[in-house]
């Protein structure tokens, strides 16, 4: 089960990302389901998991359309809460033809909803794994993590973007961050993924540090192990690659696989995702990924 953000992405493709103050003409404009929570829930479903999503949307026709698209993608959205008088979250994704991008997010309903504790407990206790990110308010994210820890449900914490969740971070199993996010959490200039994972291991139950095209490292007891990523020459879009990694990781953990084996699947999925445009609605079947 994923608890997190739900957005409508507006994606434009340009030849070169604009510089400060520069105007460029786009090649195309597309809309699609986005938000880290939605992306990760879809990725888990595309990996063959039974995937449910809890989050917040607006109460207008466009928001209902987002839910319909998520259902088509195999996600149970019965736990999504409509917030009156607030639009759904949205994101502007500017993608360069090389695959690089930048993203600006308007939180909308993601920052305005409330999760009743009793309903949250009922949902968490039925889940094999709970996945959270950093796009909901930190007090909501912290409550989810603490509740999962108290109820004995494994929680995957993708702290992206980095936000302060206090002592709740101790329940992360694993904490999933990239090298930049790991350095921010540790307030350090260290850039080596292995060293960052070693330091973060003192705070949480297990750690995965993603390394982009170099794969990922993860902790196993006192060791930090590396999983290389397959080479991808036909990169189309890097949007949502990290979310594909997290969603597939959670799907394999929910099946009872080891963290190392789950990371292997996740790294391959993240690499496969960059060969397709868009995030959730562009993901291939991760149950069939061969690179």
């Amino acid at each position: 089960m994923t608890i997190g953000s739900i957005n409508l992405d507006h994606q434009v493709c340009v030849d070169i990302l604009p510089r400060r103050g520069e105007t460029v003409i786009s090649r195309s404009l597309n809309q699609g389901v986005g938000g880290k929570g939605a992306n990760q829930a879809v990725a888990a479903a595309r990996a063959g998991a039974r995937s449910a999503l809890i989050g917040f949307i607006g109460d207008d026709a466009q928001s209902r359309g987002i839910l319909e698209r998520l259902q088509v993608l195999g996600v149970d959205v019965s736990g999504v809460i409509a917030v009156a008088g607030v639009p759904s979250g949205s994101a502007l994704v500017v993608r360069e033809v090389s695959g690089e991008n930048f993203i600006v997010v308007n939180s909308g309903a993601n920052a305005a909803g409330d999760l009743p504790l009793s309903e949250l407990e009922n949902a968490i206790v039925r889940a094999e794994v709970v996945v959270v990110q950093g796009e909901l308010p930190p007090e909501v994210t912290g409550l989810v993590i603490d509740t999962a820890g108290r109820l004995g449900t494994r929680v995957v914490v993708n702290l992206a973007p980095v936000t302060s969740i206090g002592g709740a971070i101790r329940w992360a199993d694993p904490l999933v961050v990239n090298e930049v996010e790991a350095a921010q959490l540790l307030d350090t200039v260290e850039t080596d993924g292995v060293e960052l994972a070693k330091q973060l291991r003192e705070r949480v139950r297990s750690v995965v540090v993603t390394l982009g095209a170099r794969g990922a490292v993860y902790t196993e007891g006192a060791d930090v192990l590396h999983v290389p990523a397959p080479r991808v020459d036909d990169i189309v879009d890097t949007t949502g690659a990290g979310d594909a990694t997290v969603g597939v990781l959670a799907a394999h953990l929910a099946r009872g696989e080891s963290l190392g084996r789950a990371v292997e699947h996740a790294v391959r999925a993240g690499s496969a995702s960059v060969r397709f445009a868009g995030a959730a609605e562009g993901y291939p079947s991760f149950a069939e990924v061969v690179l």
Side-chain angles (χ1 to χ4, degrees):
M1 179 179 68
T2 305
I3 301 178
S5 55
I6 305 169
N7 293 335
L8 182 64
D9 285 353
H10 307 268
Q11 185 177 97
V12 294
C13 180
V14 297
D15 291 320
I16 300 176
L17 293 176
R19 296 169 293 180
R20 184 188 297 267
E22 182 182 14
T23 299
V24 298
I25 304 299
S26 73
R27 290 186 171 201
S28 61
L29 169 65
N30 296 290
Q31 290 186 334
V33 172
K36 287 186 175 297
N39 290 343
Q40 291 171 12
V42 170
R46 298 294 283 163
R50 189 172 57 183
S51 180
L53 174 64
I54 294 177
F56 308 104
I57 59 166
D59 61 352
D60 55 3
Q62 180 173 266
S63 300
R64 291 189 290 275
I66 295 172
L67 292 189
E68 291 171 0
R69 292 164 89 158
L70 284 168
Q71 286 178 303
V72 169
L73 293 167
V75 177
D76 177 354
V77 295
S78 59
V80 173
I81 300 168
V83 182
V86 181
S88 290
S90 58
L92 173 62
V93 182
V94 182
R95 175 174 63 87
E96 193 175 80
V97 290
S98 67
E100 294 301 317
N101 64 60
F102 67 74
I103 303 171
V104 180
V105 174
N106 177 57
S107 296
N110 293 308
D114 180 54
L115 287 174
L117 181 58
S118 60
E119 294 181 20
L120 179 63
E121 290 176 334
N122 289 337
I124 287 176
V125 78
R126 296 195 301 269
E128 294 292 333
V129 171
V130 172
V131 185
V132 298
Q133 320 79 34
E135 288 190 332
L136 294 185
E139 59 272 18
V140 174
T141 302
L143 174 64
V144 171
I145 297 170
D146 268 332
T147 302
R150 176 169 51 83
L151 295 175
T153 300
R154 186 172 194 165
V155 57
V156 175
V157 180
N158 174 219
L159 212 52
V162 172
T163 186
S164 177
I165 55 173
I169 198 172
R170 70 189 186 279
W171 296 112
D173 190 17
L175 169 69
V176 184
V177 286
N178 62 29
E179 292 164 294
V180 173
E181 293 154 354
Q184 289 175 340
L185 272 172
L186 293 165
D187 192 23
T188 181
V189 295
E190 176 64 63
T191 59
D192 180 71
V194 172
E195 184 58 35
L196 291 166
K198 287 179 180 178
Q199 294 182 43
L200 286 171
R201 183 179 54 201
E202 304 302 319
R203 303 187 183 187
V204 299
R205 295 186 168 190
S206 61
V207 180
V208 175
V209 177
T210 59
L211 311 175
R214 293 176 287 123
V217 295
Y218 68 96
T219 59
E220 185 174 276
D223 298 323
V224 178
L225 305 175
H226 178 229
V227 175
R231 180 186 173 98
V232 179
D233 294 318
D234 53 341
I235 296 175
V236 174
D237 188 2
T238 59
T239 306
D243 294 334
T245 301
V246 174
V248 172
L249 174 76
H252 285 273
L253 290 176
R255 293 176 190 157
E257 295 186 23
S258 68
L259 180 58
R261 185 62 176 152
V263 171
E264 291 174 3
H265 286 288
V267 166
R268 286 199 295 271
S271 297
S273 74
V274 304
R275 301 171 64 192
F276 302 87
E281 291 174 292
Y283 288 154
S285 171
F286 295 128
E288 302 169 358
V289 166
V290 177
L291 288 172

